[in-house]
Amino acid sequence: KAGVTQTPRYLIKTRGQQVTLSCSPISGHRSVSWYQQTPGQGLQFLFEYFSETQRNKGNFPGRFSGRQFSNSRSEMNVSTLELGDSALYLCASSIRGGIYNEQFFGPGTRLTVL
Amino acid sequence: TQLLEQSPQFLSIQEGENLTVYCNSSSVFSSLQWYRQEPGEGPVLLVTVVTGGEVKKLKRLTFQFGDARKDSSLHITAAQPGDTGLYLCAGVVIAGRRALTFGSGTRLQVQP
């Protein structure tokens, strides 16, 4: 069974630009969650999608948004990039949703904002 | 202030030594999970504990959930270089938003 895949793996952008990250969950998993990982703040929850609906949201500004498609694939978008958005963005999928269930993480997308 | 405080932040030990990593909070959690993350990869779930006082063993790793469900510990016996990585605890606060909160992590280096 293929694991969670994220594309691209690495991305370099400049301030003010926008970026879209993609996540393909494990086949049969309907819940996708997104996290931001930085050395200073650690792993922080962004949002969770289940059956194309956002079910939970972390404390991030509205510049961070996401969506989920009918095939459970998910995208995350960050607009008007800031230097502080440089981070590893991780996607995780689970079978039933409810983010306290077992989550399977992808390798992440390393975003650098210059 | 982190909702989940992990200690120590860094640990460098020799192969064969024992170690314990702690995860503490002032909040009560419905469950706690432990993950290990290696460089260039996402975290991998090791265990989930759900009952106060629960102890789970995974080979040389022993996980304990505090009686009051506010803390947890991970004990590794006879550490091996393959145990090297970032250990993260994560949980869902009972009375809060149902978001998985991660601790700051413990970076473990096991020297051969």
Side-chain angles (χ1 to χ4, degrees):
Chain A
K1 202 178 211 181
V4 177
T5 58
Q6 292 187 245
T7 57
R9 290 293 310 275
Y10 302 91
L11 206 49
I12 299 175
K13 292 285 187 179
T14 56
R15 278 184 302 173
Q17 287 186 310
Q18 76 164 21
V19 67
T20 299
L21 312 181
S22 182
C23 171
S24 292
I26 292 173
S27 177
H29 286 196
R30 296 169 63 189
S31 167
V32 173
S33 298
W34 288 89
Y35 298 85
Q36 181 196 66
Q37 187 174 29
T38 60
Q41 298 297 318
L43 247 163
Q44 294 185 289
F45 171 73
L46 281 156
F47 27 67
E48 180 207 5
Y49 286 87
F50 183 81
S51 293
E52 302 179 66
T53 301
Q54 187 180 88
R55 189 155 69 173
N56 219 331
K57 190 177 187 304
N59 296 322
F60 278 80
R63 301 185 296 107
F64 292 82
S65 62
R67 59 177 176 168
Q68 187 180 33
F69 303 95
S70 58
N71 62 358
S72 293
R73 191 177 68 86
S74 178
E75 287 183 348
M76 191 193 91
N77 185 76
V78 188
S79 62
T80 320
L81 284 166
E82 300 176 0
L83 295 178
D85 296 334
S86 293
L88 180 68
Y89 289 89
L90 291 159
C91 165
S93 74
S94 67
I95 293 176
R96 294 187 298 273
I99 54 178
Y100 45 85
N101 287 329
E102 183 178 31
Q103 298 203 51
F104 296 84
F105 282 84
T109 294
R110 171 80 57 188
L111 172 65
T112 301
V113 182
L114 303 176
Chain B
T1 304
Q2 288 273 359
L3 190 61
L4 278 167
E5 296 284 349
Q6 283 188 243
S7 62
Q9 290 186 23
F10 302 97
L11 197 53
S12 182
I13 61 173
Q14 295 296 123
E15 183 176 359
E17 292 184 25
N18 302 331
L19 67 117
T20 302
V21 176
Y22 299 93
C23 175
N24 295 297
S25 177
S26 57
S27 300
V28 179
F29 288 83
S30 58
S31 66
L32 266 176
Q33 301 173 355
W34 283 92
Y35 291 82
R36 180 171 67 214
Q37 184 177 21
E38 299 185 24
E41 299 180 12
V44 175
L45 179 68
L46 298 173
V47 77
T48 300
V49 286
V50 297
T51 306
E54 181 177 3
V55 176
K56 280 192 174 179
K57 292 192 175 184
L58 184 66
K59 296 182 180 178
R60 296 175 293 101
L61 278 61
T62 302
F63 305 85
Q64 185 163 9
F65 200 11
D67 291 339
R69 298 161 77 178
K70 293 183 178 182
D71 56 85
S72 181
S73 64
L74 157 60
H75 181 80
I76 301 179
T77 303
Q80 299 177 0
D83 295 327
T84 294
L86 177 66
Y87 287 82
L88 297 156
C89 65
V92 178
V93 179
I94 280 183
R97 176 169 47 90
R98 283 174 36 176
L100 195 61
T101 300
F102 278 82
S104 49
T106 294
R107 193 164 297 279
L108 172 66
Q109 177 79 40
V110 182
Q111 309 282 356

